[in-house]
Amino acid sequence: MSEYKKIIEENESQVRSYCRKYPVVFTGAKNSTIWDEDGNEYIDFLAGCGALNYGHNNGEIKSEVIDYLLKDNITHAMDMYTEAKGKFIETFKKLILDPRELNYKLMFCGSTGTNAVEAALKLCRKNKKRSNIIAFMGAFHGMTLGSLALTTDKTSRDGAGVSLDNVTFIPYENGLGEKFDSLDYFEAILNDDHSGIEKPAAVFIETVQAEGGINVASVEFLKRLEKICHENDILLVADDIQVGCSRTGTFFSFERAGIKPDMVTLSKSIGGYGFPMSLLLIRDDLDIWKPAEHNGTFRGNQIAFVAARKAIEYNVEHDVNGQVVAKGALVKEYVEKEIMPLDEKISLRGIGLIWGIDFGKFEDKDFSHKVADKCFEKGLIIERAGRGDCVLKILPPLTIFEHDLFKGLDIIRDSIEELLGR
Amino acid sequence: MSEYKKIIEENESQVRSYCRKYPVVFTGAKNSTIWDEDGNEYIDFLAGCGALNYGHNNGEIKSEVIDYLLKDNITHAMDMYTEAKGKFIETFKKLILDPRELNYKLMFCGSTGTNAVEAALKLCRKNKKRSNIIAFMGAFHGMTLGSLALTTDKTSRDGAGVSLDNVTFIPYENGLGEKFDSLDYFEAILNDDHSGIEKPAAVFIETVQAEGGINVASVEFLKRLEKICHENDILLVADDIQVGCSRTGTFFSFERAGIKPDMVTLSKSIGGYGFPMSLLLIRDDLDIWKPAEHNGTFRGNQIAFVAARKAIEYNVEHDVNGQVVAKGALVKEYVEKEIMPLDEKISLRGIGLIWGIDFGKFEDKDFSHKVADKCFEKGLIIERAGRGDCVLKILPPLTIFEHDLFKGLDIIRDSIEELLGR
Amino acid sequence: MSEYKKIIEENESQVRSYCRKYPVVFTGAKNSTIWDEDGNEYIDFLAGCGALNYGHNNGEIKSEVIDYLLKDNITHAMDMYTEAKGKFIETFKKLILDPRELNYKLMFCGSTGTNAVEAALKLCRKNKKRSNIIAFMGAFHGMTLGSLALTTDKTSRDGAGVSLDNVTFIPYENGLGEKFDSLDYFEAILNDDHSGIEKPAAVFIETVQAEGGINVASVEFLKRLEKICHENDILLVADDIQVGCSRTGTFFSFERAGIKPDMVTLSKSIGGYGFPMSLLLIRDDLDIWKPAEHNGTFRGNQIAFVAARKAIEYNVEHDVNGQVVAKGALVKEYVEKEIMPLDEKISLRGIGLIWGIDFGKFEDKDFSHKVADKCFEKGLIIERAGRGDCVLKILPPLTIFEHDLFKGLDIIRDSIEELLGR
Amino acid sequence: MSEYKKIIEENESQVRSYCRKYPVVFTGAKNSTIWDEDGNEYIDFLAGCGALNYGHNNGEIKSEVIDYLLKDNITHAMDMYTEAKGKFIETFKKLILDPRELNYKLMFCGSTGTNAVEAALKLCRKNKKRSNIIAFMGAFHGMTLGSLALTTDKTSRDGAGVSLDNVTFIPYENGLGEKFDSLDYFEAILNDDHSGIEKPAAVFIETVQAEGGINVASVEFLKRLEKICHENDILLVADDIQVGCSRTGTFFSFERAGIKPDMVTLSKSIGGYGFPMSLLLIRDDLDIWKPAEHNGTFRGNQIAFVAARKAIEYNVEHDVNGQVVAKGALVKEYVEKEIMPLDEKISLRGIGLIWGIDFGKFEDKDFSHKVADKCFEKGLIIERAGRGDCVLKILPPLTIFEHDLFKGLDIIRDSIEELLGR
């Protein structure tokens, strides 16, 4: 066994997980390719769980980061005024917010996505003086105690060790089949003086549930949800941590629905280069924080600001959204033509460059597991999500070359074929 | 007004705080000196709230980080096996754990300190199947919901918007004056079948309370606390996020007491260069996590591993602990000779390179505020902590040059003198 | 104004409510008739909210109670052994449990219904080591903190002053219209590893929701609910406080479905004479209480035991169940023939001697209020329940004479006619 | 074995407790004497845990109750206006409140003490819009979920099955020995902006802790507690359920301190005859309930009103307070002279007619248990309380004849002597 693998296995906590799925030591990485210490090459359809939308070690961003480091610009400054932060805000406002007529204040949270969710929870409750929050079945919003209460998978919740309160779950669109209308249900419990459900401060939604199994909310669903929230004085928070930053073909995932959430959480790819960063966007009039009422040592990660600014520019200059739409169409076409015909129980869901191949109807409940393992053998890094982890999750860097994309898709097809004995 | 200051003020949330205290735009930084955009120079007695023990832009660390970036080593890898992680663990084990005969597993948490505290809370509760946790009055453990329940300052707690449960606070050593023995109290409530206090899973302690006002627990207190925990099957968790990494003159702050906590949280300066990183050390047999039971996208920050490994080496090679002891003695001597005589109501507490000058006995409850503002005018960045924010907190990089240390101390003395009209 | 009315108004808390609806001073009462201090006579369709199934001042019971008091038998004895308790248990077992092949242990709780619900909650959670409980929208289970968390009306919940946790509400049968299948929903969230709903220790159900608006669960619904509970290792608790004691035509309300709940709460009419008493029936193997783990000073009300024993005998001897079936048919027929034709928006629900006339479809949301007031003017005591309090609730003593029953029904019809201007 | 004992043992839940201590079937009772079915006679030093201050089957009260029943006055009426309620209020106001210049509104709660505590909790939280409540270590306030959170003994709390939140415990006077000043501690945590303790809505206190081991708060303690509450806008609630109704020699237990709590809970002996009844007294301006915001089927127990009115008259006419003072002095003198000399480790605490003989310093932790058992053998019913149940609790009816009082005391002395082998 590799020296480093041994050291890690012997000393890192049992909580480690991805290394169990991909048990090699990774060294180099470029765009959508990763190499292990033996020089083996892997296509990356995981993309740092959405943190690497601009690919591994994006050259344009790297150059700025190294330049910043070389000049001894200030690297750690919490929420002091810095040039790096000023430039990021200026660029984010000019290239992202202003063109979309979005009037948000920016809050830089501790450098993890869950921290932005925790901040949003506090601020919603503070604004509305209510404690209940609505979240959707299938949701994943983070692992710290506040966010965890909004996260639905049993394993994560069982880890809490205390009751997870002040959250009410409702089914996601089509979560209980097409005959169950989740928003009818939501309105019914809001209007029923005997529902037992406390009026919520806010609804938290992922417009595409990633961990929940690649469930894409329809435009109608999102529009109506916003309408219900407005009519009932409830805040709407879009958790765009995984599906924002152009993952779905627009910078914010909710743009396709023409809605304007009251708050938006961003993390993962906002840092541009895989650097930890987290951001809460707040509708102007809701920004009633006291100074430092939510804080953290890493709430300003200056090299992340540098990378994030460059990433925004890169995004616009290279028309990343356009790329996503085009490549997304290729994925859809490929799966429909090459993979779905392999077995009628296979289904597909997705948008932009997030797609799920669902094996949930297979008798072999471990089939998706076998596919992912087989893919890795063949040089593709891909993970699973959703109920029973039955959904193979295609999540490449948005900057992936088409030939690498097809290489990855071929591996998936070949793996399934092999397992089906075709 | 500066262009960037204007952009930030107009667009960043009201929650921003340090920029209100030091209203200039910072650009460059080196070791303990920071420059603003106008070229003004400041001595840094804040040190990123303890995240910059090795100084701003430490050259030895920077060199390794840039080298890593240049080589396109993998930058973001969650908890996969990587060389950068392997090397960090190897070094941490060889230089830190092994010499101290500490047998901890390493858990890499989401890249903020509060995330390590949340992980520790879950793991303690899971191990002991109890929900209650003991924390100390004056404690600060973080701002996400689980950690916040252990954090004591009213402003932070008021932000929660929900009840903060499952935590019982007891006074810190001398927290209620010398005649009140906090550990007698702790034992009394543990042994009383009518105390109403649920038996805790764990006690969380900062061996030196930083935000609480630079309160230094005695060796006797820490030893006895460990003994009580052992006798009652309660876990002891040292939160070394702010006062670990040699801040007190030993790598772990609890070494002076000869105790071995069951878990240790590290963050801030463990990342070496101000890069977000967070680490939970877990006594071997308590590592009962299921894979991914606590997780996060930024739980492996590869450039932080690179910086952290180098920082550990730097720490040992440059005898940072020795430096801290020596410089700490200088601070103590200086304040006792030059500052305390200015007014008999001034008191001093501290250890290593964390010291608090307490103005709490002044009639003017805003005096510490005025001192901090005056210091900034004179070129010193310093903040306040503790009850009523009455304690001026001396927290320079451990690598500060002696002449800069004295320059900073002179500014404090001069500021106080000026305000006292002497 | 009456002397006593004045004294009460001036000195009793604002929380008083029934006296606002029926603002006269009541003195005498017999079976289903009540007299006020001026000698006016009222038919009682409220029956102490179900506490007076055997009528006011039932002579057979009264005679036994007075005899007991005259003999200086022990009146207050908590849970000591007493003859009165022994005789009650003997009779309850012989006449109620044994013929139904029900094998319950009896727990005598503090003398209110909510106390039995609190006991059941504790015991379910203790048995299953889970904290979550499923209750139904529309439910009313009591006003103390544990029970209140299961109670759904907004006014009651708003009074709590703290979060009401550890309960998940699901719609009652037909609660969201016929197309929504509440038990499909229940099974879906139980089987979904991403529902976010913790597996419950128990389901609490009223087989007929009284306060919720006289909603009668079907036999199929109850059978399937029991089946789901059995299959998922979840306890089923029937709250028979209001609809037990023959209210629906069988002693226990769940008999019609042929199910055997794991626990049953009884109160109200179990005391026979309006005396406070409360009882939890526990499936034998679930009786894992430690002595006194739930207790209370009035957990043994000896004169209630005397009255309760006699009431059970009375129930059987006078075939109260048979009476209920017969009189219930009369009510149904009367309302269908005489009242529903008055307006097509009127609907009727009920079983046995609990019926609701629903005016919820009226534009005038206060119509039911006006009907109840008009009824009182005409000499009928009747209250409202359900969503928006739109349901007129017919709940006479089970022993009501037929001519009094018709007198009351006539008043309802006349009141509605008058208000409709017919 | 007795027939009834057998029936009860076989059918009553394991939760039963007093019958385990006194395993005979009780039948008759008069004042402080109880008879079992075999005609054996017992002196009663338990008095229904304080529910029988006027003795068993008090003739004067019984006569009124029977008369009321015979006349078919209304027996169950919830919170309607009734003559029985009007007369009780009139009498309570004239004989109890007015002479003491107490201006309380009366709220009739569900007929158990815990129900009044639950009501008080709601109303305090509603008035102050705060959720935290201060209670004292050693407290017992009831067993329903809200009250249970204020109750301190481990066994009771362990039964909850969920977290008991929103309550902070502080030591009772002398709870941690004389050198620990509990109110200094209370003030310290109130004034400390880093105590972590949320400002409470109210403090709940038993002026004499009964279940906690007969701990008598001093007049100074109570006065200062009231002062702290007033200065900090915190409500003070006296739980007089066990020690009110003249148990301590004044009608309310707090009279000796000259304080006026904002709310007072009464139950147990307020019902006069052991009938379930419960009452919350509310300072006029705090009575902000909405109608029925707290309610319950047995909130008006008419025969309890009749008994309670007569009991108040009896109390005044027979100078029960004077009797208590005189008999209390006899108990104290007897124990000091006849019992304490038996062993220097015996201590005594108490006031009025509630006294505790503490065997906590004995090596044999089961000694008090043995004493109680021996007493029962010799014809005395007495129970234990406090830490480790080490305190023998003398709690006779206030109306006990002196010769019976001495007979009981002699039995205690003889039992101890016998056990000590003297």
Side-chain angles (χ1 to χ4, degrees), chain B residues 288-302:
Chain B
I288 59 170
W289 286 113
K290 290 186 210 167
E293 199 171 355
H294 183 82
N295 62 41
T297 297
F298 296 121
R299 65 189 180 278
N301 183 354
Q302 304 299 313

Side-chain angles (χ1 to χ4, degrees), chain C residues 341-358:
Chain C
L342 296 177
D343 192 303
E344 62 181 12
K345 295 188 294 294
I346 296 175
S347 63
L348 176 71
R349 292 185 300 274
I351 185 172
L353 272 175
I354 177 165
W355 291 89
I357 303 178
D358 192 339

